[in-house]
């Protein structure tokens, strides 16, 4: 039997089938290939060196690397033909690359939207990830600005992941505070993965410490501080104890909207307690402020945020991403 070789037409069909239907430009000046987990057969892109170098510090460095005639033909022709493309890192996904090119080549009116007619979160995630990877500053700022516009429609677990992995340190306190307000049972396995091991540790530890603090505050009725000018010490003490048992404990342990302890102190200062004279109430609340017990919730929160912010420069994913960039540039 004779071995069958592909015909020229079959070779051309194969080549054309690998060309991206939208981002293989006939006037492009550099051919790229992506072979990844979600694109094992590979896809070819033909893009514009000028645009990439202008927008991306990564590509500006890549295309400024010197070439001379002493180098092999393989190196000299890299990126000029389909058979010798510049290879994207295999760690990238086709969907991420396509979304980044949508951002670079399309106008805002053509960006993908979700069902609520706002920019797709997956699109923004891809733009942020690869803009950071390829040092596209306007892409980073665009994604951050659009995520900020989403407000609470952006899940705090995703916001926390983006912050810790891609260096948006300003999001750490906001995302962590929103996570603290959630019941831990509202977080599924994907959310926990997004928060990460360190984030989840500080989240659960801080929640447990706050709950222990709130239980301590609710259980022990603080002593009243009577004013020397008060003539009804016993009545004021009774009114204060009654207020704590009937109202404060319920507010602290409310199953849906537990009141922050600092807010509780503000309320106790500004709302008149029935049967309690104004001077006794003011002195007692002032004494509670001085004990700092009611402000420890915020102290616990700040302790966790500071620890998480310190970890920002040590995040494995961010270091791995940057190592990939350096390795790719050195090829």
């Amino acid at each position: 039997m004779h071995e069958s070789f592909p015909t020229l037409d079959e070779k051309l069909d194969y080549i054309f089938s690998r060309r991206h239907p939208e981002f293989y430009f006939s006037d492009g000046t550099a051919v790229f290939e992506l072979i990844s987990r979600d694109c094992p057969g590979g896809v070819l892109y033909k893009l514009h060196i000028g645009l990439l170098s202008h927008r991306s510090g990564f590509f500006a460095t890549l295309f400024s690397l010197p070439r001379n005639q002493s180098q092999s033909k393989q190196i000299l022709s890299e990126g000029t033909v389909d058979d010798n493309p510049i290879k994207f890192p295999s760690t990238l996904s086709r969907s991420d690359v396509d979304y980044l090119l949508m951002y670079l080549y399309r106008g805002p009116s053509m960006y993908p939207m979700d069902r609520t007619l706002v920019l797709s979160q997956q699109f923004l995630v891809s733009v942020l990830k690869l803009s950071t990877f390829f040092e596209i500053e306007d892409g980073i700022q665009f994604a951050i600005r659009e995520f900020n516009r989403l407000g609470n429609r952006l899940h705090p677990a995703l916001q926390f992941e983006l912050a810790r992995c891609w260096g948006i340190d300003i999001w750490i306190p906001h995302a962590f505070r929103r996570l603290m307000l959630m019941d831990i049972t509202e977080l599924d396995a994907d959310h926990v993965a997004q928060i990460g091991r360190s984030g989840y540790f500080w989240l659960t530890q801080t929640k447990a410490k706050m709950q222990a603090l709130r239980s301590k505050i609710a259980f022990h009725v603080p002593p009243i501080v009577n004013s020397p000018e008060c003539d009804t010490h016993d009545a004021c003490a009774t009114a204060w104890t009654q207020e704590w048992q009937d109202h404060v404990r319920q507010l602290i342990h409310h199953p849906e909207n537990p009141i922050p302890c600092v807010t509780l102190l503000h309320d106790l200062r500004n709302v008149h307690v029935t049967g309690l004279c104004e001077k006794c109430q003011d002195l007692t609340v002032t004494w509670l402020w001085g004990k700092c017990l009611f402000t420890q919730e915020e102290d616990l929160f700040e302790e966790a945020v500071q620890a998480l912010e310190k970890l920002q420069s040590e995040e494995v994913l961010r270091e791995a991403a940057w190592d990939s960039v350096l390795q790719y540039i050195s090829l």
Side-chain angles (χ1 to χ4, degrees):
M1 295 179 64
H2 297 286
E3 186 176 357
S4 175
F5 293 97
T7 64
L8 177 60
D9 286 341
E10 289 173 335
K11 289 182 179 179
L12 291 175
D13 288 342
Y14 174 70
I15 291 174
F16 289 138
S17 69
R18 297 180 70 236
R19 292 179 176 179
H20 194 283
E22 183 175 359
F23 298 117
Y24 189 99
F25 298 100
S26 59
D27 62 344
T29 49
V31 179
F32 294 83
E33 180 185 46
L34 175 67
I35 299 176
S36 60
R37 180 176 298 179
D38 67 340
C39 187
V43 59
L44 297 172
Y45 301 86
K46 193 172 186 183
L47 309 173
H48 300 86
I49 290 177
L51 182 146
L52 296 178
S53 298
H54 177 69
R55 303 287 287 277
S56 161
F58 171 88
F59 285 113
T61 300
L62 179 66
F63 291 124
S64 67
L65 296 176
R67 294 190 182 189
N68 56 66
Q69 295 304 313
S70 64
Q71 294 174 316
S72 68
K73 292 182 179 180
Q74 181 76 7
I75 294 177
L76 292 175
S77 66
E78 185 180 26
T80 61
V81 293
D82 289 2
D83 289 340
N84 189 20
I86 300 169
K87 296 186 182 297
F88 280 127
S90 61
T91 53
L92 305 183
S93 71
R94 175 170 175 172
S95 60
D96 282 345
V97 173
D98 285 359
Y99 275 142
L100 178 67
L101 294 177
M102 286 181 190
Y103 168 72
L104 292 175
Y105 279 96
R106 290 181 177 179
S109 63
M110 301 181 68
Y111 294 158
M113 302 281 186
D114 65 15
R115 294 179 180 177
T116 63
L117 299 181
V118 298
L119 287 177
S120 161
Q121 290 192 29
Q122 186 54 57
F123 167 70
L124 294 176
V125 169
S126 296
V127 171
L128 177 61
K129 287 166 54 178
L130 294 202
S131 290
T132 305
F133 189 93
F134 290 123
E135 299 176 54
I136 303 172
E137 185 61 31
D138 62 277
I140 296 172
Q141 296 307 317
F142 163 79
I144 291 175
R145 183 173 64 253
E146 294 301 323
F147 273 129
N148 285 335
R149 287 180 179 176
L150 289 175
N152 288 342
R153 285 176 291 183
L154 175 62
H155 196 283
L158 174 57
Q159 185 179 40
F160 192 86
E161 178 186 38
L162 296 174
R164 72 184 180 86
C165 293
W166 307 107
I168 314 173
D169 297 349
I170 196 172
W171 280 355
I172 290 291
H174 178 66
F176 190 73
R177 190 176 293 278
R178 290 179 61 203
L179 287 167
M180 286 294 300
L181 292 174
M182 297 177 64
D183 190 293
I184 205 72
T185 59
E186 296 179 64
L187 301 174
D188 60 25
D190 290 336
H191 295 144
V192 173
Q194 289 173 328
I195 296 168
R197 181 174 60 184
S198 297
Y200 192 69
F201 168 81
W202 281 104
L203 177 64
T204 53
Q205 287 291 304
T206 307
K207 275 183 168 291
K209 290 177 181 179
M210 283 189 180
Q211 185 57 45
L213 174 65
R214 294 173 70 84
S215 295
K216 178 181 179 180
I217 291 173
F219 182 78
H220 297 285
V221 180
I224 190 169
V225 180
N226 288 121
S227 169
E229 302 175 22
C230 176
D231 297 327
T232 56
H233 288 188
D234 290 343
C236 284
T238 300
W240 174 254
T241 300
Q242 197 70 34
E243 176 70 17
W244 201 268
Q245 293 175 342
D246 293 348
H247 298 107
V248 172
R249 284 177 178 170
Q250 292 184 24
L251 292 172
I252 289 178
H253 290 310
H254 194 284
E256 297 177 0
N257 296 302
I259 188 170
C261 291
V262 171
T263 302
L264 179 61
L265 267 187
H266 283 293
D267 290 347
L268 285 172
R269 182 178 292 281
N270 298 317
V271 177
H272 176 66
V273 177
T274 303
L276 180 62
C277 77
E278 183 177 334
K279 291 182 179 180
C280 285
Q281 181 173 338
D282 184 64
L283 282 175
T284 304
V285 174
T286 300
W287 178 80
L288 286 175
W289 273 111
K291 295 294 287 184
C292 298
L293 184 64
F294 284 69
T295 58
Q296 284 184 23
E297 270 189 320
E298 194 63 24
D299 294 339
L300 290 170
F301 174 81
E302 290 297 333
E303 177 188 6
V305 167
Q306 288 176 17
L308 292 168
E309 289 177 337
K310 185 178 180 180
L311 288 171
Q312 281 293 84
S313 62
E314 303 170 6
E315 281 292 344
V316 175
L317 286 177
R318 287 169 62 183
E319 289 183 358
W322 184 240
D323 288 344
S324 297
V325 172
L326 296 178
Q327 181 181 11
Y328 186 47
I329 289 177
S330 66
L331 292 177

